[in-house]
Amino acid sequence: MIRQSSSLTTYIVTFSCPNRPGIVAAVSQRLFELGANITEAQQFDDMASTQFFMRIVFELPKDGLSEDALKTEFAGLANTFSMNWSISDRSKRLKVLLFVSRFDHCLVDLLYRWRIGELQIDPVGIVSNHPRETYADLDFHGIPFHHLPITKETKADQEERIWTVFQESGAELAVLARYMQILSNEMATRLSGRCINIHHSFLPGFKGARPYHQAFSRGVKLIGATAHYVTSDLDEGPIIEQDVERISHADDPDDLIRKGRDIERRVLARAVRYHVERRAILNGNKTIVFTP
Ligand SMILES: Nc1nc2c(c(=O)[nH]1)N[C@@H](CN(C=O)c1ccc(C(=O)N[C@@H](CCC(=O)O)C(=O)O)cc1)CN2
């Protein structure tokens, strides 16, 4: 459970940099000098890429250093180690633009987790290529709904409308909650590192459309779901979270779809949580995930 203190501000700093001795000592010493109390620290030394990754949670007195001053002070240290870094106030919820097509089970699950306070996000909009009536029985709790229909002929215009909504809503993350449209290379590039998709297979198996039917034809004994960052290479983006369930010869495609819904829901929710809690850090075509 996240502790909140009235006199303290909790920050999360994440960074990656070329590995060398002394990084942890230098960072912890600098934070100490700035008046910080470290409450969590996780690190990973990737021998393959020789990159070092760290996630630190720390508290600062509210009447002490401002967030801007903190970032200015940290920037000096970051330059020394050639860090790619970010610092965020843990109490500030990330603005999330949710995307959905015909199947809304992942959207409903994310909204439920948000509504009960489990998922600390600020949903700023729901975008669908289907009309609002598709979800007539759903309460979107006042979250603006944007019906952006798409055809092959209108794809470019539709994506410009998406981009306008993303910018005007102040969104910081796009979540494709079974949004069944392939984003153009331009849109995928615009959203690089801040667009998560749930693919309904255990990637790299069964990329593309109708993965459950592909799995049924292959006679698999496990089905799965994969949450990944979206790139221009379909279903090839850095994987954030995956899970699987056993199935049997007696299961037909509808059984796989039914069993798959629960996997998709929990995998996407975990991935969104990892992202908004700054636990997922890009590492080339992979991710480092500092799980709770
Ligand atoms: N640029 C990217 N866009 C998307 C990605 C991605 O990795 N990169 N992931 C997909 C995910 N996806 C399933 O998880 C998926 C969605 C849609 C299709 C597809 O063939 N769509 C057709 C239209 C289908 C329809 O209208 O019902 C299309 O876009 O022409 C394949 C895979 C989401 N986007």
Side-chain angles (χ1 to χ4, degrees):
M1 196 58 194
I2 291 177
R3 287 182 306 132
Q4 301 284 5
S5 162
S6 58
S7 63
L8 297 169
T9 303
T10 300
Y11 292 98
I12 302 171
V13 58
T14 57
F15 64 84
S16 61
C17 63
N19 190 28
R20 59 188 268 200
I23 301 170
V24 176
V27 172
S28 51
Q29 177 62 28
R30 191 74 191 100
L31 289 174
F32 171 71
E33 289 165 357
L34 294 173
N37 173 46
I38 293 174
T39 57
E40 292 176 47
Q42 295 165 284
Q43 66 198 59
F44 176 65
D45 172 3
D46 181 11
M47 308 296 272
S49 64
T50 71
Q51 288 290 298
F52 181 80
F53 300 82
M54 196 163 193
R55 176 183 185 271
I56 302 172
V57 182
F58 61 93
E59 298 168 336
L60 269 179
K62 281 191 190 304
D63 58 4
L65 217 50
S66 69
E67 184 171 334
D68 287 345
L70 168 66
K71 289 175 178 177
T72 300
E73 291 294 339
F74 194 87
L77 178 71
N79 289 337
T80 303
F81 290 95
S82 306
M83 290 181 184
N84 183 12
W85 61 284
S86 83
I87 289 180
S88 53
D89 177 343
R90 192 171 69 176
S91 67
K92 291 179 184 168
R93 293 181 176 219
L94 212 63
K95 297 184 185 304
V96 180
L97 187 58
L98 301 163
F99 290 69
V100 66
S101 290
R102 187 152 61 100
F103 303 115
D104 57 23
H105 53 287
C106 289
L107 172 70
V108 169
D109 181 77
L110 290 174
L111 291 177
Y112 174 78
R113 294 176 194 262
W114 160 70
R115 191 163 56 81
I116 66 171
E118 174 192 309
L119 195 56
Q120 301 280 307
I121 60 173
D122 176 7
V124 293
I126 296 169
V127 170
S128 177
N129 55 315
H130 293 254
R132 178 67 177 85
E133 296 70 41
T134 312
Y135 324 95
D137 59 335
L138 290 186
D139 180 358
F140 287 158
H141 305 282
I143 300 167
F145 178 86
H146 306 272
H147 175 210
L148 304 183
I150 187 171
T151 65
K152 288 195 186 324
E153 297 71 32
T154 65
K155 187 181 181 77
D157 290 341
Q158 189 254 12
E159 288 198 342
E160 279 310 307
R161 295 174 69 193
I162 286 177
W163 185 239
T164 299
V165 170
F166 188 87
Q167 291 180 300
E168 292 183 352
S169 65
E172 299 161 284
L173 176 67
V175 176
L176 309 187
R178 290 300 302 277
Y179 179 70
M180 300 310 287
Q181 296 300 316
I182 298 175
L183 303 185
S184 67
N185 293 352
E186 183 185 4
M187 184 57 80
T189 302
R190 279 170 163 174
L191 295 175
S192 179
R194 48 185 185 158
C195 182
I196 295 172
N197 176 64
I198 183 69
H199 182 73
H200 37 311
S201 82
F202 188 73
L203 290 174
F206 311 130
K207 296 177 189 134
R210 294 165 61 85
Y212 289 128
H213 291 79
Q214 296 180 54
F216 175 76
S217 302
R218 183 66 184 80
V220 299
K221 301 305 179 184
L222 288 172
I223 56 168
T226 303
H228 63 93
Y229 287 109
V230 166
T231 64
S232 52
D233 297 326
L234 186 64
D235 300 330
E236 295 273 2
I239 291 171
I240 306 166
E241 175 64 349
Q242 297 184 292
D243 206 344
V244 296
E245 287 286 349
R246 301 203 69 81
I247 59 132
S248 83
H249 57 277
D251 289 315
D252 66 18
D254 285 341
D255 293 319
L256 270 57
I257 290 167
R258 172 177 52 80
K259 293 183 176 183
R261 274 195 287 267
D262 287 338
I263 316 170
E264 295 165 44
R265 280 188 278 246
R266 65 175 181 265
V267 167
L268 182 56
R270 285 183 202 147
V272 172
R273 177 189 174 190
Y274 294 157
H275 182 92
V276 301
E277 293 183 359
R278 274 66 172 182
R279 295 180 179 278
I281 305 176
L282 285 169
N283 180 21
N285 69 334
K286 300 189 280 187
T287 63
I288 308 292
V289 179
F290 290 119
T291 52

